[in-house]
């Protein structure tokens, strides 16, 4: 299936036709996402012409934009103008009266060779000018991906930053009774659709993480009762053991260049952090303590590493150089801190915090300042960043619930949503943008 998917994506020519009309320099619709609490922008996403598949594409575009928390799609029941010709300018007064500050119209047609041609235009209704126009060609089975790419283009044009809708999530899918839970690796689109299993065994799997090249993940498995770190090629399904170590290996994660894996190795009751060069298979030890050092995560430039350690008596966050130098504690709040992960933007570190019998997901600056809690609950854990560094996904188990579920939340802390999955789900990892 993955090879078929990749072949289809290679056929996805993404023939970006540029602006169908030049984007005006004086368009006024924009969102300042650096503000603390952003008021969602009213946007009208009309049903694309022509047919059921066209409408499905526009529905996914609207759902993506709404889920970001930055856009408020206008109820279609309020629309006055019915778009009949996507090539003509809309009646702007009809859209201004319902406060649709931006308008998306589009059309989907089938080419003679069977491909779909999807095109859209983004209008600034108050300026009365087009902001963006693009068209794409793809195979019909890739229609959902076309919708995500269109939503990304709209997001970027209005916010000035890359979107995150054309991405995938790898996670641990959990099923069965609590005392005999089966855990498999699974992958899905960021909105929960197109889910499929990557492994099919009764061995416990944990902490899957994407490679920067998007087509490889690393994870830990207790196969044959031996905890080991594996590499899995998404395209071929081929996998290999990263290395055979005398103790437990866990919490693996790729370096930003994809050439190394950083992980924690447990030996004789303590755990230290090591890196392995994937080309030479040589390992380098970065920490050397009698404590438990684990959950390492590189900064996006690869120069530093954040990790958790109980060397001070309870779990706290530390930052060090990529060579292990300058190990410095950065968390000093009440409670314990764990599962740190550096933002793709480099400006924040996300973490799990346990305090007062509750688990929180929060962020802080790399020097430990500016700590901010985004959400608190019975059990929240395992944050992972969207590639634009504006949204986090994590897993939550509520009191009395049968198992964990995935949730997303943006940096304002106001836009929290559950991601629907088949069965229980934990340990999410967000992919980079697809190509």
């Amino acid at each position: 299936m993955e090879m078929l998917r990749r072949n289809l994506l290679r056929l996805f020519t993404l023939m970006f036709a540029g602006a169908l009309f030049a984007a005006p320099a004086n368009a006024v619709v924009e969102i300042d996402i650096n503000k603390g609490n952003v008021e969602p922008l009213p946007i009208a996403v009309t049903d694309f012409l022509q047919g059921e598949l066209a409408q499905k594409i526009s529905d996914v575009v609207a759902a993506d934009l709404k889920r970001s928390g930055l856009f408020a799609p206008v109820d279609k029941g309020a629309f006055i103008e019915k778009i009949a010709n996507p090539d003509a300018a809309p009646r702007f007064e009809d859209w201004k009266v319902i406060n649709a500050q931006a308008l998306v119209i589009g059309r989907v047609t089938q080419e003679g060779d069977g491909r779909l041609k999807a095109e859209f235009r983004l209008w600034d209704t108050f300026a009365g000018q087009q902001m963006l126009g693009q068209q794409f060609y793809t195979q019909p089975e890739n229609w959902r991906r076309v919708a995500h790419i269109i939503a990304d283009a709209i997001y970027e044009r209005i916010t000035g930053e890359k979107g995150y809708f054309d991405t995938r999530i790898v996670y641990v899918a959990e099923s069965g009774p609590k005392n005999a839970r089966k855990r498999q690796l699974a992958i899905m689109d960021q909105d929960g659709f197109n889910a499929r299993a990557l492994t099919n065994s009764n061995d416990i799997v944990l902490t899957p993480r994407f490679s920067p090249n998007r087509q490889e993940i690393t994870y830990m498995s207790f196969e044959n009762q031996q905890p080991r770190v594996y590499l899995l090629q998404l395209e071929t399904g081929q996998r290999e053991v990263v290395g055979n170590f005398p103790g437990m290996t866990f919490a693996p994660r790729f370096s930003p260049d994809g050439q190394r894996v950083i992980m924690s190795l447990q030996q004789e009751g303590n755990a230290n952090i090591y890196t392995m060069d994937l080309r030479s298979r040589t390992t380098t030890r970065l920490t050397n303590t009698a404590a438990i050092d684990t959950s390492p995560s590189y900064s996006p430039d690869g120069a530093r590493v954040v990790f958790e350690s109980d060397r001070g008596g309870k779990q706290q966050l530390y930052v060090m150089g990529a060579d292990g130098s300058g190990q410095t504690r950065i968390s000093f709040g009440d409670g314990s801190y764990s599962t740190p992960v550096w933002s793709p933007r480099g400006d924040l570190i996300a973490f799990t915090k346990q305090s007062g019998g509750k688990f929180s997901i929060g962020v802080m600056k790399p020097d430990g300042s500016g700590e901010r809690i985004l959400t608190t609950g019975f059990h929240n854990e395992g944050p992972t960043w969207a590639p634009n560094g504006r949204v986090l996904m994590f897993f939550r188990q509520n009191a009395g619930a049968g198992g964990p579920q995935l949730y997303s939340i943006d940096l304002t802390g106001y836009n929290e949503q559950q991601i629907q999955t088949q069965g229980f789900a934990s340990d999410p990892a967000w992919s980079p943008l697809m190509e």
Side-chain angles (χ1 to χ4, degrees):
M1 284 295 295
E2 183 61 25
M3 179 66 75
L4 175 61
R5 178 183 174 89
R6 289 297 299 163
N7 287 338
L8 291 171
L9 294 185
R10 289 190 185 100
L11 292 174
F12 194 137
T13 58
L14 293 185
M15 294 179 65
F16 170 43
L20 299 178
F21 294 104
N26 60 339
V28 297
V29 172
E30 62 179 19
I31 298 176
D32 182 359
I33 58 179
N34 294 307
K35 292 166 57 177
N37 184 17
V38 178
E39 187 71 23
L41 178 81
I43 186 169
V45 181
T46 63
D47 289 339
F48 287 9
L49 306 175
Q50 301 136 340
E52 182 181 355
L53 189 57
Q55 182 176 338
K56 286 182 178 179
I57 290 175
S58 56
D59 286 345
V60 171
V61 171
D64 279 349
L65 296 174
K66 180 179 181 180
R67 197 167 50 256
S68 75
L70 299 178
F71 299 87
V74 177
D75 188 332
K76 293 178 183 178
F79 293 0
I80 298 172
E81 181 185 13
K82 181 176 177 62
I83 299 297
N85 180 9
D87 297 323
R91 298 197 304 264
F92 296 111
E93 290 301 322
D94 287 353
W95 300 100
K96 287 194 288 185
V97 75
I98 62 173
N99 195 35
Q101 298 180 32
L103 170 66
V104 181
I105 61 177
R107 174 172 52 208
V108 177
T109 54
Q110 191 161 28
E111 299 290 284
D113 59 4
R115 293 180 302 163
L116 291 182
K117 176 183 178 183
E119 51 190 322
F120 79 97
R121 300 172 191 268
L122 172 66
W123 295 90
D124 180 337
T125 59
F126 282 77
Q129 294 178 321
Q130 181 173 296
M131 301 177 68
L132 186 64
Q134 293 180 359
Q135 61 184 16
F136 307 94
Y137 294 84
T138 187
Q139 298 300 320
E141 53 266 43
N142 284 330
W143 68 268
R144 290 193 66 88
R145 190 176 175 207
V146 171
H148 294 319
I149 292 174
I150 290 173
D152 277 334
I154 294 169
Y155 182 102
E156 182 174 1
R157 180 63 183 88
I158 294 179
T159 68
E161 294 197 348
K162 290 285 187 183
Y164 58 92
F165 307 118
D166 186 29
T167 55
R168 294 187 288 176
I169 305 294
V170 64
Y171 62 101
V172 177
E174 303 187 14
S175 60
K178 190 173 183 179
N179 60 351
R181 188 68 52 84
K182 183 176 182 178
R183 293 175 171 86
Q184 299 174 274
L185 287 188
I187 193 169
M188 65 183 179
D189 295 347
Q190 52 79 28
D191 57 358
F193 287 84
N194 292 330
R196 63 182 180 86
L198 294 175
T199 60
N200 185 21
S201 71
N202 292 319
D203 301 310
I204 295 175
V205 292
L206 297 170
T207 59
R209 300 288 182 261
F210 270 97
S211 164
N213 70 14
R214 306 165 185 81
Q215 292 307 314
E216 189 175 48
I217 61 171
T218 179
Y219 67 99
M220 192 187 92
S221 174
F222 284 82
E223 188 169 327
N224 298 321
Q225 306 303 313
Q226 294 293 320
R228 291 175 176 169
V229 174
Y230 289 84
L231 295 178
L232 175 66
Q233 297 288 338
L234 294 177
E235 181 174 347
T236 65
Q238 181 181 353
R239 67 181 193 133
E240 59 182 306
V241 178
V242 171
N244 290 309
F245 304 101
M248 178 182 290
T249 58
F250 52 99
R253 196 182 292 271
F254 285 96
S255 61
D257 61 8
Q259 300 301 313
R260 290 165 289 163
V261 169
I262 191 168
M263 64 196 121
S264 183
L265 305 184
Q266 185 173 354
Q267 298 173 333
E268 299 178 355
N270 64 339
N272 282 284
I273 294 173
Y274 291 74
T275 61
M276 170 175 275
D277 187 298
L278 293 176
R279 294 161 297 186
S280 66
R281 298 292 168 148
T282 58
T283 59
T284 302
R285 185 171 182 163
L286 300 185
T287 67
N288 187 6
T289 70
I292 296 177
D293 298 342
T294 188
S295 297
S297 173
Y298 280 102
S299 61
D301 62 3
R304 292 179 290 171
V305 173
V306 62
F307 64 99
E308 66 177 85
S309 175
D310 64 356
R311 64 184 65 180
K314 61 181 178 181
Q315 291 167 297
Q316 298 292 337
L317 304 187
Y318 292 76
V319 168
M320 62 181 171
D323 59 356
S325 62
Q327 298 176 22
T328 303
R329 179 175 165 178
I330 62 169
S331 62
F332 293 94
D334 295 333
S336 60
Y337 296 75
S338 60
T339 66
V341 57
W342 220 301
S343 164
R345 301 168 60 88
D347 57 341
L348 294 170
I349 292 170
F351 57 84
T352 301
K353 181 177 182 179
Q354 184 178 5
S355 178
K358 302 230 179 233
F359 287 78
S360 303
I361 301 296
V363 294
M364 65 174 64
K365 295 180 181 179
D367 63 1
S369 64
E371 178 179 326
R372 188 158 49 91
I373 298 300
L374 302 179
T375 185
T376 298
F378 175 74
H379 189 174
N380 299 323
E381 196 172 350
T384 180
W385 290 96
N388 69 352
R390 293 295 182 182
V391 181
L392 288 163
M393 192 174 291
F394 61 97
F395 68 96
R396 164 181 293 160
Q397 181 156 342
N398 293 314
Q405 301 285 352
L406 302 185
Y407 286 78
S408 66
I409 192 166
D410 64 14
L411 288 181
T412 68
Y414 292 103
N415 183 33
E416 181 177 306
Q417 301 178 51
Q418 182 177 348
I419 308 301
Q420 297 298 326
T421 56
Q422 296 178 353
F424 304 129
S426 62
D427 279 350
W430 216 314
S431 79
L433 279 170
M434 296 173 65
E435 292 182 347

